[in-house]
């Protein structure tokens, strides 16, 4: 199990509603700082060496996948995105389940709702919030699934891509920051 990535944790609200948030560990913070240093040098070979030391760094895998995609290496990008999705799956909380449902009013929703940061937190971070909207650790998680959804559609697996899109919607509604409804 990758230890240098943020971990998903269960969050219970006052009314008993279940949602999930992401918590950075010391190892994931150090890994992210090292990745930012590598990316600032704009050298793909340094990034490759970084990924050899941290083969399941979610952010590193996504950066390298984007590099390969821009260079026309779609197969390499797809493989890196698959590895990133594996990292995402390893970070799931034990209670996170798209197959179990919660009854919310008259609707039944899967147990995948994410505790999204407030959009108003972009301008001013609240004192009780562990992170603002822009530095929320869950963005990499959502980006990995979004990229995976597009890879699946590009391979002609439209139904599977639709299911990943439905997972993203169930996790982020009512905000839909990825505009998956469109």
């Amino acid at each position: 199990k990758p230890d240098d990535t943020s971990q998903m944790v269960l969050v219970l609200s006052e009314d008993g509603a279940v949602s999930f948030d992401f918590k950075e560990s010391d190892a994931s913070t150090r890994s992210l700082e090292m990745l930012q240093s590598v990316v600032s040098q704009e050298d793909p070979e340094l990034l490759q060496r970084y990924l050899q030391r941290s083969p399941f760094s979610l952010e590193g895998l996504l950066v390298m996948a984007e590099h390969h995609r821009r260079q026309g290496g779609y197969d390499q990008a797809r493989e890196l995105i698959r590895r990133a999705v594996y990292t995402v799956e390893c970070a799931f909380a034990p209670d996170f389940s798209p197959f179990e449902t919660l009854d919310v009013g008259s609707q039944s929703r899967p147990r995948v709702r994410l505790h999204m940061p407030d959009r108003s937190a972009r301008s001013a971070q609240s004192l009780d919030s562990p992170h603002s909207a822009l530095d929320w650790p869950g963005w990499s998680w959502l980006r990995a699934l979004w990229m995976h959804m597009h890879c699946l559609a590009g391979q002609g697996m439209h139904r599977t891509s639709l299911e990943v899109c439905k997972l993203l919607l169930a996790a982020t509604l009512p905000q839909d920051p990825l505009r998956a409804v469109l």
Side-chain angles (χ1 to χ4, degrees):
K1 185 172 179 177
D3 60 350
D4 60 350
T5 187
S6 57
Q7 296 297 312
M8 184 182 282
V9 293
L10 178 71
V11 176
L12 289 174
S13 67
E14 295 171 1
D15 61 352
V18 173
S19 63
F20 299 90
D21 201 358
F22 295 88
K23 184 178 93 175
E24 292 281 355
S25 66
D26 291 338
S28 66
T29 303
R30 280 191 306 274
S31 177
L32 190 55
E33 288 170 357
M34 190 183 318
L35 174 65
Q36 288 170 344
S37 170
V38 166
V39 169
S40 69
Q41 296 178 28
E42 298 180 10
D43 185 0
E45 289 180 25
L46 284 176
L47 184 57
Q48 186 68 35
R49 277 191 252 145
Y50 168 80
L51 285 175
Q52 288 172 350
R53 286 190 311 268
S54 300
F56 294 105
S57 168
L58 179 59
E59 291 83 2
L61 291 167
L62 295 176
V63 169
M64 188 58 123
E66 187 65 26
H67 169 74
H68 282 297
R69 188 187 67 80
R70 287 185 181 174
Q71 299 296 320
Y74 300 108
D75 291 334
Q76 295 98 336
R78 191 177 313 117
E79 288 305 314
L80 289 166
I81 291 169
R82 284 184 184 162
R83 206 159 85 192
V85 170
Y86 172 75
T87 302
V88 165
E89 290 174 12
C90 289
F92 283 168
D95 293 330
F96 184 87
S97 175
F99 306 112
E100 291 182 32
T101 58
L102 294 170
D103 293 326
V104 179
S106 63
Q107 299 177 352
S108 184
R109 290 184 56 172
R111 293 179 63 111
V112 296
R113 184 163 186 210
L114 297 179
H115 185 74
M116 301 282 297
D118 187 15
R119 287 184 177 178
S120 63
R122 288 181 183 168
S123 58
Q125 182 177 355
S126 91
L127 295 175
D128 60 338
S129 173
H131 39 256
S132 71
L134 296 177
D135 66 353
W136 181 57
W139 291 123
S140 297
W141 188 87
L142 292 174
R143 184 172 172 230
L145 288 177
W146 184 82
M147 291 172 80
H148 184 58
M149 175 184 72
H150 283 282
C151 283
L152 291 169
Q155 291 178 303
M157 295 186 246
H158 303 290
R159 179 64 191 190
T160 308
S161 177
L162 177 64
E163 293 301 323
V164 173
C165 183
K166 288 167 51 177
L167 172 65
L168 286 169
L169 276 173
T172 60
L173 280 178
Q175 292 184 11
D176 190 22
L178 300 174
R179 308 295 187 254
V181 172
L182 297 176

